[in-house]
Amino acid sequence: MRLRIIALRDELTARGLDAGADTIAAHLSREKTRLSRTTIWRILTATGKVSPQPQKRPRSSWRRFAADRPNELWQSDFTHVTLTDNGVVYTTRLARGGRGRGDGAGNGNGFETLLAGLGITQKNGKPFNPTTQGKIERFWQTLKKYLHAHPAASLTQLQTTLDTFRDYYNNTRPHRGIGRRTPAFAYELIPKAAPTRPADPNIWRVRYDTIDNDRKITLRRSGRLLHLGIGRAHARTEIICLVHNSNATIITLNTGELIAEFTLDPTKNYQRKNG
């Protein structure tokens, strides 16, 4: 059994996977062999497979949080594998400069609009403070260790590697935080949380644009590009487009003059002015 424990340690490490005593115990259990994590730890230590890390905080000092039900809380983040973090794809509230007026004055991006429309509350972690994203940061650590052991030469190969890792992470790897169960088992165990879509999410979008030579601007809504016809007299005019639910109001950038109003119909490409 000592040799099997050492072999598992070496095999999991070579594959870029977690290879601690708990993980090895879970793999042995699937082989119908039950050993305590303490016994496994002693064998690993005695054979020089474990390096002392006295600088690490004791596990008893950790404060762990978990949502009550699956889907009740999601964490998301960016990372890179020679392929960025805190991009404006999540929020434009902290952006500065540019025609988008990303100064937090009410204009959000498409992702923020989508979440608000579904009744999902968005919470942004503090910049440069990874501890507020502890779960996803720990996931990146596990993922990058695996990718380091499986270098990819192309995006296609990388995607295949990521798919393999996802399957192992969700269906095979035991997780200490959920009683050494797999995420797939824990996810299916109890009913899922779901957002309550508000009748009126009160979403305001602000769009800065220039009316083109065809006297229109283009706006994305419900996954489609809508073309708003504004009129010949306003070609090349710089405007602000205010969108609230299905209503769009067009005013000039320099004077604030109201020049068009629309009731948007996502079933039609071309949108005619009201009135």
Side-chain angles (χ1 to χ4, degrees):
M1 185 50 59
R2 180 187 182 95
L3 293 177
R4 180 55 182 150
I5 290 172
I6 296 172
L8 269 174
R9 173 77 169 191
D10 292 341
E11 176 189 338
L12 292 170
T13 301
R15 291 170 60 192
L17 302 172
D18 288 347
D22 286 315
T23 300
I24 292 176
H27 281 276
L28 289 175
S29 177
R30 296 185 185 117
E31 298 175 4
K32 309 303 181 184
T33 300
R34 296 194 178 276
L35 284 179
S36 70
R37 69 180 307 275
T38 303
T39 300
I40 297 171
W41 185 261
R42 287 173 179 167
I43 293 174
L44 294 176
T45 303
T47 55
K49 296 294 182 180
V50 176
S51 299
Q53 294 180 299
Q55 76 281 6
K56 294 184 68 174
R57 287 172 53 189
R59 188 169 298 277
S60 60
S61 70
W62 293 7
R63 294 183 59 189
R64 187 178 184 277
F65 71 93
D68 293 329
R69 292 188 293 161
N71 289 351
E72 190 170 28
L73 178 67
W74 292 60
Q75 280 197 356
S76 182
D77 191 19
F78 276 100
T79 190
H80 63 89
V81 188
T82 316
L83 285 181
T84 142
D85 192 12
N86 298 332
V88 293
V89 66
Y90 283 125
T91 180
T92 57
R93 290 187 298 106
L94 304 178
R96 289 287 184 266
R99 291 297 298 273
R101 299 297 202 278
D103 54 6
N107 57 322
N109 62 17
F111 182 67
E112 292 172 290
T113 302
L114 172 65
L115 294 185
L118 293 173
I120 299 173
T121 300
Q122 183 185 23
K123 300 178 181 179
N124 299 109
K126 295 180 180 179
F128 311 110
N129 189 1
T131 57
T132 57
Q133 284 81 234
K135 294 181 185 296
I136 193 66
E137 294 289 351
R138 179 60 180 85
F139 174 79
W140 292 147
Q141 178 184 331
T142 303
L143 172 61
K144 288 183 178 181
K145 183 168 66 173
Y146 183 82
L147 292 177
H148 181 73
H150 301 79
S154 65
L155 286 177
T156 300
Q157 187 178 354
L158 175 61
Q159 186 61 60
T160 300
T161 302
L162 290 172
D163 291 342
T164 302
F165 170 82
R166 179 185 59 193
D167 181 68
Y168 176 83
Y169 185 90
N170 286 325
N171 298 291
T172 303
R173 177 182 181 268
H175 289 239
R176 178 183 288 114
I178 50 177
R180 310 313 300 176
R181 298 182 177 93
T182 64
F185 177 87
Y187 184 78
E188 296 298 336
L189 197 60
I190 55 180
K192 313 300 181 293
T196 301
R197 187 190 296 265
D200 181 359
N202 195 31
I203 299 170
W204 284 90
R205 290 175 57 192
V206 181
R207 168 80 176 273
Y208 294 80
D209 208 337
T210 300
I211 301 172
D212 65 20
N213 291 326
D214 294 324
R215 291 90 63 188
K216 61 177 175 57
I217 64 169
T218 301
L219 183 71
R220 182 176 294 276
R221 180 169 175 80
S222 301
R224 298 188 59 182
L225 290 178
L226 308 182
H227 306 290
L228 283 60
I230 298 174
R232 184 188 306 274
H234 302 291
R236 308 312 305 169
T237 299
E238 292 185 318
I239 58 92
I240 302 175
C241 176
L242 305 173
V243 183
H244 180 245
N245 296 336
S246 296
N247 302 305
T249 302
I250 311 299
I251 62 176
T252 60
L253 176 62
N254 294 329
T255 66
E257 176 191 357
L258 173 65
I259 57 177
E261 292 181 296
F262 297 84
T263 300
L264 302 176
D265 182 355
T267 65
K268 299 179 180 180
N269 291 330
Y270 187 78
Q271 307 289 310
R272 296 185 181 278
K273 293 188 294 186
N274 295 344

